[in-house]
Amino acid sequence: MSTQIDTPTLKLSHLRVLEAEAIHIMREVAAELEKPVLLFSGGKDSIVLLRLAEKAFRPGRFPFPLMHVDTGHNFPEVIEFRDRRVAELGERLIVASVQESIDKGRVQEESGPRASRNRLQTTTLLDAIEAHGFDAAFGGARRDEERARAKERIFSFRDDFGTWDPKRQRPELWSLYNGRVARGESVRVFPLSNWTELDVWQYIAEENLEVPNIYFAHEREVFKRDGMLYATSDHMELMDGEEPFTTSVRYRTVGDMSCTGAVASTAADLDTVVGEIAATRITERGETRADDRVTEAAMEDRKVAGYF
Amino acid sequence: MSTPVTTIETSMLRIATAGSVDDGKSTLIGRLLYDSKAILADQLEQVQEASERRSGAGGLDLSLLTDGLRAEREQGITIDVAYRYFQTARRKFVLADTPGHVQYTRNMVTGASTADVAIILVDARHGVVEQTRRHTFIASLLGIPHLAVCVNKMDLVGYAEDVFDGIVREFCALARQLGVLDVQFFPISALQGDNVVDGSEAMAWYAGTPLLEHLETLSLADDPAGHDARFPVQWVIRDHDADYRGYAGTMAGGVLRPGDDVVVLPSGVRTRIAAVETFDGELDAAAAPMSVTLRLADNVDASRGDLIARAPSSDEIAPTVTRLVTADVCWMAEAPLRQGARLALKHTTASVRAVVDGLDDVVDISTLERVAAPEQLGLNDIGQVRLRVSRELAVDPYALNRTTGSFILIDEASNETVGAGMIR
């Protein structure tokens, strides 16, 4: 895709404005922080981050490695995609494993049918940041996802415990970012802060980016719990009265299998997915994430504890 | 030379709102978001439940949508900026919802720094009050080119035209005093919906457009700031195999094309633009706010912190290369700013050290008068400060360019951002 130049007035779509802002943010981090890392999960937001990194740094190499916090309960289609995309880019991927954190006794596996490894990721992430000495981590989080995120800066300062203090955020003016940290502290950086879910999908369509096929409608064996559809898998225990059935679904978000729900959909290509998102009446986290449903401030609490 | 391009149109508008719950700010935002479908069913349900837990059945407190932190919901006030997004067929809107209380001035400045338009709320029953003056002053200080003054709660003054006219006259006097460029007035009732998204039957005397239509059609192309070509070098891209060297950065004003004569500042070395590149290929022009990579014709010394500007000509204003900077500073730290203070200063992509040579004045936020020679600037104070920096910077007055005319001050011990500067 090339930017249309139309004299005497240059016209720039809002996606290209957002793109320019994100590229600027990524270059600031590369220039000012010692040891950044980009978190790549294989999900749609981090797929966009990778394209933005190409736009920011090619023909040079990325000035940071990629890292995936692998819960061990991810969709196999996504892991396959992750490895293929990293190989195409010729960049380095670090895999931080929740299973290893469990084996080392750093965290304890939850039990029962509602067990999820989602919460355990925070420890694995913080351990990996410390072990590698990363002082900045790019994430694909967006402010439209959740109202605590709507309050978070683009450069989100974390102390040496990885903690976010929502009452003591650094003022963030113009495009002047303050990434100064002391040893052991870090910043989480969100280049997609001002993007919405629809912007992400429109950008994926415009850039013709490949995404894991579970984002498109496919037949899958699922069961219903709390009004959401979950894939049957070895990682999910069925409760009484839960009957698996097969139907056409797609995923709006890609996370741990134990807390990510599917939506009934027949949208099988990018255009119909964009149309579906434009017409939806429910937020992506509300429709597909069990982890945000616990309390009114579930996300704020998890972020304070070091979560993305 | 081909036709010079001096304007750029984008389909994104950044809005800042300031105010407290009492002004009806949250109701106004709620209405803009709800009527443009940016509030979805599950969010509304969440707000409904939370409203009922707090105030009993029936109430719907839309401020719970934007006041996203636990402390804000507990206290019923906006403490920090919340960002909200909505879209119509014509534009995408980024709305920075900022607090109105004087003790959160720094958060308001944060949210308003990048705004194209500020929505100022005036209660029709009270007219222009101290908070209105403060918000308008901050909007003008930050160089927000457009103000949309919403005279709210018109339903509580019988939709009376003379009440609206009186407030318009009062506000115009304030706008003249502050040198505000473009002001539009809207008689609205956020609660009833008059003149927000739809027009108003109760105010047939009002001939203008509703607020949303104004925001959708507001032209940004003629804004005076940033017409001269500016490009802070952010990152040097190298590819050793291909002997490639490109200067990556974000256009901060004007237009640059291949073949343009440019000067690298502060060194003053002249060269020519060989190519304007992106990942998607070469361009025949770049304008703000595009992120591009410039290749230069000569092998000059340029690196992060340098500014590439068009070589000065009759119709192009050159940046000032200086180690002395005079600026309006909004002070954001608990500990006051005093003469002799040493700080880190970040201006575009340049990081230098700065020492405060003197405090010229401080603005009395209630009268907007400048009081000369203050002892110090306290938290949320705004005043004119003289700084000396450790190495030359290429700067513009903030009124000409919001990027090359601004800087932040950082405490070197705590690493906190403690001040925001707008160069005079």
Side-chain angles (χ1 to χ4, degrees):
Chain A
M1 213 228 64
S2 71
T3 305
Q4 287 297 308
I5 301 296
D6 177 18
T7 52
T9 301
L10 286 168
K11 286 201 165 79
L12 214 55
S13 75
H14 79 270
L15 287 180
R16 297 300 144 190
V17 176
L18 292 171
E19 177 190 71
E21 178 184 74
I23 291 170
H24 178 83
I25 291 162
M26 295 182 103
R27 287 171 175 165
E28 281 302 285
V29 172
E32 297 217 325
L33 278 298
E34 293 285 326
K35 206 172 174 191
V37 64
L38 186 149
L39 295 181
F40 178 56
S41 66
K44 65 185 190 311
D45 304 302
S46 60
I47 288 168
V48 168
L49 280 186
L50 285 188
R51 170 48 53 93
L52 293 167
E54 290 183 276
K55 296 208 178 195
F57 302 110
R58 293 291 187 238
R61 290 178 56 82
F62 293 178
F64 40 74
L66 316 177
M67 182 162 82
H68 182 216
V69 178
D70 187 348
T71 62
H73 290 176
N74 290 292
F75 294 92
E77 298 92 331
V78 177
I79 298 298
E80 182 272 325
F81 169 83
R82 176 197 76 185
D83 293 339
R84 188 153 42 81
R85 185 76 187 106
V86 170
E88 278 167 15
L89 286 167
E91 300 287 345
R92 184 163 76 99
L93 176 76
I94 298 163
V95 177
S97 155
V98 172
Q99 185 61 52
E100 267 176 43
S101 301
I102 294 169
D103 295 345
K104 285 187 202 152
R106 295 283 296 149
V107 290
Q108 197 164 6
E109 181 111 72
E110 295 175 1
S111 59
R114 289 180 182 277
S116 167
R117 288 184 168 184
N118 186 56
R119 212 172 41 78
L120 310 185
Q121 290 180 81
T122 301
T123 302
T124 307
L125 172 68
L126 295 178
D127 285 354
I129 285 175
E130 192 176 323
H132 292 275
F134 293 128
D135 57 1
F138 290 107
R142 310 183 318 267
R143 286 174 176 150
D144 81 319
E145 282 179 71
E146 203 280 335
R147 62 185 167 184
R149 283 195 165 149
K151 291 272 168 181
E152 194 170 9
R153 303 282 191 255
I154 291 172
F155 274 48
S156 181
F157 175 78
R158 304 302 173 100
D159 67 12
D160 50 347
F161 291 90
T163 303
W164 179 56
D165 184 348
K167 286 191 195 171
R168 287 190 59 235
Q169 300 199 78
R170 289 177 177 173
E172 196 165 78
L173 298 106
W174 301 292
S175 48
L176 291 171
Y177 301 100
N178 174 3
R180 288 178 183 238
V181 291
R183 200 182 177 80
E185 299 169 344
S186 61
V187 282
R188 307 282 171 86
V189 182
F190 305 113
L192 306 183
S193 286
N194 289 324
W195 298 49
T196 62
E197 185 188 15
L198 184 59
D199 294 329
V200 166
W201 279 111
Q202 284 176 337
Y203 190 77
I204 287 169
E206 269 196 34
E207 292 283 322
N208 201 17
L209 298 177
E210 187 189 344
V211 296
N213 53 18
I214 65 170
Y215 278 116
F216 301 113
H218 55 286
E219 295 285 319
R220 185 179 282 268
E221 189 182 75
V222 294
F223 64 94
K224 202 164 193 170
R225 177 182 292 177
D226 307 330
M228 294 201 258
L229 299 175
Y230 290 97
T232 54
S233 74
D234 298 343
H235 314 306
M236 292 288 271
E237 235 176 86
L238 290 179
M239 296 195 285
D240 280 349
E242 289 176 341
E243 285 297 326
F245 59 101
T246 299
T247 188
S248 178
V249 297
R250 66 174 210 89
Y251 284 86
R252 262 178 95 178
T253 65
V254 165
D256 190 274
M257 287 183 89
S258 63
C259 69
T260 307
V263 296
S265 170
T266 53
D269 57 41
L270 275 173
D271 283 348
T272 47
V273 167
V274 170
E276 198 177 275
I277 298 301
T280 186
R281 297 297 298 146
I282 304 178
T283 63
E284 60 180 315
R285 296 198 81 90
E287 191 168 46
T288 66
R289 288 300 181 95
D291 45 336
D292 284 336
R293 294 190 159 189
V294 186
T295 68
E296 198 183 40
M299 175 66 91
E300 183 178 342
D301 294 344
R302 277 184 294 138
K303 287 187 89 74
V304 167
Y307 184 78
F308 255 80
Chain B
M1 250 351 284
S2 48
T3 331
V5 180
T6 51
T7 59
I8 183 155
E9 273 180 27
T10 72
S11 53
M12 190 163 112
L13 187 79
R14 294 180 198 257
I15 307 169
T17 57
S20 49
V21 178
D22 306 338
D23 307 322
K25 180 193 66 165
S26 301
T27 317
L28 175 63
I29 293 170
R31 188 160 284 283
L32 281 172
L33 295 178
Y34 191 73
D35 289 359
S36 61
K37 215 208 78 161
I39 299 174
L40 301 182
D42 57 317
Q43 291 173 308
L44 200 64
E45 196 181 308
Q46 214 180 19
V47 168
Q48 186 90 51
E49 280 171 22
S51 303
E52 284 171 14
R53 252 199 319 281
R54 282 173 177 76
S55 53
L60 181 64
D61 183 355
L62 284 171
S63 70
L64 295 171
L65 269 174
T66 48
D67 291 341
L69 300 176
R70 192 192 294 273
E72 293 178 316
R73 290 193 297 274
E74 280 168 6
Q75 297 174 47
I77 54 167
T78 307
I79 294 173
D80 210 336
V81 193
Y83 295 90
R84 287 284 157 188
Y85 306 88
F86 64 103
Q87 201 161 1
T88 67
R90 285 163 163 163
R91 262 191 182 145
K92 169 177 167 123
F93 299 92
V94 176
L95 191 152
D97 176 23
T98 75
H101 292 94
V102 67
Q103 69 265 38
Y104 303 119
T105 297
R106 58 178 169 170
N107 308 58
M108 181 183 167
V109 169
T110 292
S113 64
T114 54
D116 302 307
V117 54
I119 294 178
I120 307 272
L121 274 157
V122 179
D123 189 319
R125 296 168 302 173
H126 306 136
V128 173
V129 295
E130 181 183 327
Q131 177 164 282
T132 322
R133 305 173 69 84
R134 184 160 42 80
H135 292 168
T136 309
F137 169 68
I138 291 170
S140 73
L141 185 76
L142 286 166
I144 300 176
H146 306 276
L147 294 189
V149 179
C150 292
V151 180
N152 192 24
K153 307 194 185 181
M154 286 299 293
D155 51 321
L156 299 183
V157 296
Y159 295 109
E161 185 176 9
D162 61 329
V163 172
F164 178 69
D165 288 346
I167 292 170
V168 169
R169 273 194 302 276
E170 208 181 345
F171 195 94
C172 282
L174 174 66
R176 266 195 305 277
Q177 182 191 348
L178 294 170
V180 175
L181 295 170
D182 172 44
V183 192
Q184 296 288 327
F185 295 91
F186 303 88
I188 70 166
S189 166
L191 194 66
Q192 307 298 332
D194 298 84
N195 289 329
V196 179
V197 173
D198 302 314
S200 168
E201 282 179 25
M203 290 180 281
W205 49 263
Y206 173 70
T209 58
L211 176 65
L212 182 63
E213 191 179 330
H214 175 68
L215 297 174
E216 283 181 308
T217 54
L218 185 64
S219 171
L220 301 175
D222 302 325
D223 290 344
H227 276 182
D228 298 310
R230 299 287 186 266
F231 183 86
V233 176
Q234 198 183 8
W235 176 258
V236 182
I237 297 178
R238 283 196 203 85
D239 183 351
H240 293 290
D241 302 339
D243 197 23
Y244 176 94
R245 176 185 275 259
Y247 298 94
T250 305
M251 287 293 294
V255 175
L256 287 174
R257 296 172 176 280
D260 281 356
D261 291 317
V262 292
V263 56
V264 180
L265 299 171
S267 72
V269 172
R270 292 191 175 222
T271 181
R272 198 163 31 78
I273 295 193
V276 177
E277 296 182 340
T278 68
F279 178 72
D280 303 298
E282 294 197 9
L283 302 180
D284 60 12
M290 294 163 71
S291 284
V292 297
T293 302
L294 302 181
R295 279 201 297 109
L296 301 178
D298 307 294
N299 198 2
V300 298
D301 181 12
S303 59
R304 178 173 170 84
D306 289 339
L307 182 74
I308 294 175
R310 195 194 309 282
S313 63
S314 55
D315 59 344
E316 197 97 1
I317 298 166
T320 304
V321 175
T322 181
R323 284 186 57 201
L324 298 173
V325 174
T326 301
D328 279 322
V329 167
C330 176
W331 189 246
M332 299 171 155
E334 304 281 345
L337 177 71
R338 295 202 174 91
Q339 187 173 346
R342 288 177 182 274
L343 297 151
L345 183 152
K346 186 174 178 187
H347 168 258
T348 67
T349 56
S351 288
V352 297
R353 304 187 72 198
V355 60
V356 176
D357 272 349
L359 304 177
D360 292 337
D361 62 36
V362 61
V363 177
D364 179 331
I365 211 81
S366 54
T367 62
L368 305 185
E369 300 291 327
R370 285 180 181 263
V371 181
E375 285 279 303
Q376 59 180 49
L377 290 187
L379 176 64
N380 293 317
D381 276 350
I382 294 162
Q384 184 174 304
V385 176
R386 276 175 290 117
L387 296 157
R388 191 157 34 89
V389 296
S390 56
R391 122 182 128 68
E392 286 183 317
L393 297 174
V395 304
D396 288 297
Y398 185 77
L400 285 185
N401 191 307
R402 286 167 87 180
T403 304
T404 51
S406 59
F407 59 83
I408 54 171
L409 296 168
I410 298 166
D411 182 301
E412 287 186 293
S414 68
N415 288 329
E416 290 289 333
T417 303
V418 290
M422 288 140 279
I423 296 168
R424 302 280 285 198

